[in-house]
Structure formats: C-alpha cells, structure tokens
Amino acid sequence: MKESFPKTIYALVGKIPAGKVATYGQLALLAGSPRASRIVGAVLAKVPQEKLLPCHRVIYATGALCPPHAFGHSAIQRQMLEQEGITFLPDGRVCLKKHLWDGSNTAE
DNA sequence: GGTTTGACCCGTT
DNA sequence: CAACGGGCCAAAC
C-alpha cells in the first residue's frame, strides 16, 4: 500500500456504507495518521464531487456536522444523512453510538 | 524547496 | 456551561 494520503482518503470515504457516518479523525486514523484529521478535511475540500465520495457521511468526532460552507449550503448534509437513515439527536448531532462507521473491520 | 493554509480535535480559561 | 487557543500532519502555491 503506497497510495498517497488523499488517495487513501477517497478509498476510505468510498467504503463508508449508507446509514453510517465516519469522523475525520477516524478516516485519518485508518489512513495511517491519527493526528492528520485536518488533512482529511483539506483533501475532501480539494477533491470535487467528481469522485462521488459520500463526504456528507464524514462528520466531526463529536458527532456534529461540518461547517455549512463545506457543502455549499447549511443543513444540506443533515438532510442527506436523514435520507440515508441516520438518526439525529435533539442536540443536532448524529448518533455516533448507533451510526459510527466500523472502519476497523473494513481496513485491509 | 520553504511557506501558508486547511471541511479538525482536545485542553484550558 | 460556553468560548478561545494551540497543536498536529500533509497538500498546494
């Protein structure tokens, strides 16, 4: 495995199953750098939707969604996740306890 | 090849 | 309880 970081991120995000969510830290961890959580976001920011990556399934480690400008609009990500079957808490956060992606099982 | 920034995360005030 | 700052790693200019 010698794929670049962004390449790894694309693969990981593309492996996130519907109805599940992954945190930037989680992707960074699977990518090989647990502290490169920022890189994950930066990479997704550079990579256009042409990759068809479900970046809307990527959220903060706290369960909060990423800033509105990330998807070009606010509450968009939330709407998408709701359609995926994600459960939102009254706090406005995703139920990480129920929808946190199990990337450890998908890691190769 | 060095510098700047970035869709983050956590501890402290 | 809420807000602020700092630190981390890698990609882009």
Side-chain angles (χ1 to χ4, degrees):
Chain A
M1 258 218 345
K2 295 188 62 186
E3 287 80 57
S4 305
F5 229 89
K7 198 92 179 279
T8 310
I9 300 302
Y10 308 150
L12 290 170
V13 176
K15 285 172 187 169
I16 303 176
K20 292 251 173 158
V21 292
T23 71
Y24 292 99
Q26 179 104 41
L27 296 173
L29 177 67
L30 297 170
S33 291
R35 307 297 173 194
S37 43
R38 313 187 68 191
I39 319 303
V40 181
V43 167
L44 294 175
K46 309 272 190 206
V47 177
Q49 302 80 351
E50 301 171 354
K51 282 286 182 188
L52 303 174
L53 298 178
C55 37
H56 58 269
R57 290 181 195 153
V58 187
I59 60 176
Y60 284 141
T62 53
L65 307 180
C66 47
H69 97 228
F71 291 90
H73 207 274
S74 61
I76 288 221
Q77 182 178 19
R78 172 154 177 178
Q79 297 284 312
M80 303 241 277
L81 292 172
E82 284 187 52
Q83 292 181 50
E84 295 279 314
I86 302 298
T87 308
F88 275 80
L89 295 174
D91 297 342
R93 293 190 249 258
V94 182
C95 221
L96 293 175
K97 296 285 267 183
K98 300 170 66 170
H99 299 295
L100 182 59
W101 176 45
D102 186 4
S104 305
N105 192 19
T106 317
E108 293 166 75

